[in-house]
Each structure stands twice: as C-alpha cells, then as structure tokens.
Amino acid sequence: MLSFDDYRTIINEHLTDFIPETDSKAAVLSESMKYSLRVGGKRLRPALLLASCDFAGGDIGQALPYACSLEYIHTYSLIHDDLPAMDNDDLRRGKPTNHKVYGEDIAILAGDGLLNTAAEVMTGEVLRHSGDLIGMTRHASAAHEIMSRAGIRGMIGGQTADVKGEYMEANADLVRFIELHKTADLLTAPVRAGLMLAGADDEMLNDFTSYALNIGVAFQVLDDILDFVGDEKLIGKKVGKDQDLGKCNYVCVHGLEAAMEELHRLTSEAKLSLTKYGDDASFFISLADQLENREY
Ligand code: GRG
C-alpha cells in the first residue's frame, strides 16, 4: 500500500481528467467547477477509496475515476452548502467561496455540473466493463454505493435534517442522524466502493463499514468541537456558525467534555473493527489517529 500523501498526489494529478470539455458558450461552468476542485482540500474521501481498493488487492487505476467522482460530489456539496440559502459562507478552504467568485447562478450550476459529471463518469466505467459480468457487477456496485450514500437517504437527507433542525430544541437523536448521514455516509461510501471494486468478501466489507461509520461520525463530532474552539485561520472558514444559526450539534447537546470523550470512543471503536487485520491495516489505524487529532 502507498502512504496517504502518495494517494493524495495521484488524485491531485488526475482530479480534473474526467471533467468533459464544455462548449465555449458554457466555458465559465467548467472554470467554476475546476476552481472549487483545485482550491484545496484534504482529499480524504478519494484517498480512502484508493487505499481500500489497494488493501483488498484491487487495481487503483480502475478505482481512480470513482475516487475523482467522489471528490466531485463532495465539492458540489460544499459549493451548495456555502450558498446564501444554506450556510452563507464567504470562505471555503481558505479562499472565496464559489458564489463569491462566480455569482450564485453559476455556483448552483457548478454544483449541479459536478454531481452530474460524477454520475456520467461512473456509469461510463460500468458500461466499459459490459463484456465482463463480474467486472461490470463490481463497477455497478461501487457506483450505486457512492450515489446512494450521497443521496436522499444519505448526505442530502442528512443535510435536510441539518437545515430544518436549525431552530429545534437540542435533540440527541437528531444530532446522531445528521452525523451519520450528512457526514459519515460520504466517508463510508469510498471505503465500501473501493473494496467492492476489488471484489472483497462480505466479512471484510462489514468490518470496514464499521470502521468507516465510526471515523465518519467522529469526523462530524470533531467538526462540532472545532466550530466551538477551532482556529479560523487553520480551518479556512468562519467558526461559531452553528451557534450563530441556533443549530443543534453534538457540543450544544452534550457539552464539550462529553464531545471529546465521544470522539475518542468512536476512534477506538473504529480501530477495534480492524484488529483481525493486524499490521496490514496500519494505514487505516494511523489515519483514524490522525483524524482524531486534526485541527482543520
Ligand atoms: C448541500 C446536499 C448538500 C450537502 C452538504 C458537506 C455538507 C453537506 C455540509 C458541509 C458542512 C460541514 C462542514 C460538514 C462537516 C463535514 C464536512 C463535510 C467537512 C468538510 O470536509 P473536509 O474537511 O473538507 O474533508 P476538505 O475541504 O478538506 O475537502
């Protein structure tokens, strides 16, 4: 297996390779899509996809279009989340948000364009394997996994609960629903899709699903902690937004100390899911530790 930095380098080198050329009359669309893709980002989700495929003995060249597609979906969700109708943010990844540079109309279309391109790229890959039933089934499963976890029972459903939950009473069930769907689903999709592309068995899929859901929820709990105590310069966007919007998150429901304990518990649970793989799973174990200690 490669290091996280090596997977990230592969992604950064190929990230825009799968964006089709647009007609010159729509040139601003691909420009704004590429602006948000290139403006930064940890590349956590696509790196997880390549690493999971690699771990299970798959070909990371075949996984690359799915890894990039997932980053397109993640980036679309950030562009739309930053819009005035949602979180109304001026900064993302330390740079002006898409609508601040291109206007709201183009930012909405850039998000649409990224989501649609992801579906186009992945279904194209499925079609390319139509002569090989086993290969095609693996590709179709990976594409379905990504689209459904990004969809209305996944990230979009979680975002809806978040948006509509803004002014509700503090509610632990609502907070867990938002953590699981707005955030953890899009961190679970790459792990499962990578394994599916490699043809992993159900036992491995179950163990890694448990790992991914736990780091995914932990990721959101830490996001909530950072919204209270994080450094705006490091994070690259305004902090304290949840309180400003009257949003209910893990910290406001359970308190800061309990949030830190939950972050540690979830990270330990994630690592425990992979105990049987020993040193072979060290990439995933050290990633869980790094995520627990991230400051942005
Ligand atoms: C608009 C349908 C729709 C969904 C938006 C992504 C999202 C759902 C909301 C963003 C709010 C937020 C900050 C959620 C916390 C988890 C998260 C997605 C953080 C950003 O992910 P990182 O830290 O970002 O991996 P980078 O910039 O490193 O890629």
Side-chain angles (χ1 to χ4, degrees):
M1 289 194 56
L2 305 177
S3 68
F4 187 91
D5 285 349
D6 289 339
Y7 291 122
R8 181 170 43 206
T9 301
I10 296 173
I11 289 140
N12 283 335
E13 277 173 359
H14 295 280
L15 189 57
T16 55
D17 290 4
F18 305 96
I19 308 269
E21 284 297 312
T22 47
D23 188 277
S24 59
K25 295 183 212 51
V28 67
L29 178 62
S30 48
E31 190 191 314
S32 84
M33 288 160 67
K34 288 176 186 169
Y35 168 78
S36 287
L37 284 171
R38 288 180 178 144
V39 90
K42 295 183 277 297
R43 311 304 187 210
L44 176 57
R45 295 154 192 80
L48 268 171
L49 198 151
L50 296 185
S52 305
C53 181
D54 213 0
F55 176 84
D59 172 355
I60 62 169
Q62 288 205 1
L64 190 58
Y66 294 87
C68 293
S69 294
L70 191 60
E71 189 69 3
Y72 300 165
I73 292 174
H74 169 59
T75 303
Y76 116 73
S77 79
L78 299 178
I79 295 174
H80 281 190
D81 187 65
D82 291 335
L83 286 168
M86 294 218 195
D87 259 10
N88 193 18
D89 269 308
D90 296 349
L91 282 181
R92 168 69 67 180
R93 295 171 166 173
K95 296 277 167 27
T97 46
N98 195 293
H99 66 273
K100 283 282 157 194
V101 179
Y102 294 96
E104 272 184 67
D105 47 5
I106 294 300
I108 292 168
L109 291 167
D112 296 341
L114 285 164
L115 174 60
N116 202 92
T117 300
E120 192 178 333
V121 169
M122 292 189 291
T123 49
E125 289 302 304
V126 175
L127 275 177
R128 274 191 342 103
H129 290 83
S130 58
D132 156 23
L133 189 58
I134 293 176
M136 189 177 76
T137 306
R138 289 179 182 176
H139 282 261
S141 303
H144 183 264
E145 179 70 23
I146 290 172
M147 292 312 286
S148 58
R149 287 201 187 256
I152 63 172
R153 285 180 298 169
M155 179 183 71
I156 298 174
Q159 176 76 349
T160 305
D162 191 20
V163 167
K164 287 300 167 196
E166 274 177 24
Y167 303 104
M168 287 169 69
E169 292 286 303
N171 173 337
D173 278 354
L174 173 67
V175 168
R176 188 47 39 112
F177 181 90
I178 292 169
E179 289 161 352
L180 273 170
H181 299 295
K182 183 179 87 169
T183 307
D185 271 328
L186 218 62
L187 287 157
T188 304
V191 171
R192 286 179 54 86
L195 295 178
M196 286 167 169
L197 286 167
D201 62 20
D202 284 348
E203 186 181 343
M204 193 182 278
L205 267 172
N206 288 338
D207 294 335
F208 276 78
T209 302
S210 164
Y211 166 83
L213 284 170
N214 278 299
I215 59 160
V217 173
F219 194 86
Q220 186 57 56
V221 172
L222 182 49
D223 215 70
D224 294 347
I225 294 171
L226 292 174
D227 194 58
F228 270 78
V229 298
D231 178 339
E232 220 158 84
K233 283 202 197 72
L234 277 177
I235 299 172
K237 65 172 185 137
K238 201 173 174 308
V239 299
K241 288 284 296 195
D242 286 353
Q243 295 152 81
D244 293 351
L245 294 167
K247 272 190 187 170
C248 149
N249 69 24
Y250 198 93
V251 177
C252 87
V253 173
H254 302 277
L256 197 53
E257 203 178 315
M260 306 286 280
E261 280 167 17
E262 180 66 350
L263 168 66
H264 190 64
R265 188 192 70 77
L266 290 161
T267 306
S268 306
E269 199 68 38
K271 293 191 286 186
L272 213 58
S273 313
L274 304 186
T275 309
K276 69 167 77 133
Y277 302 97
D279 286 348
D280 290 350
S282 59
F283 173 95
F284 299 95
I285 303 298
S286 66
L287 182 62
D289 287 331
Q290 281 166 35
L291 291 177
E292 183 181 354
N293 294 305
R294 77 186 165 96
E295 292 181 82
Y296 60 93

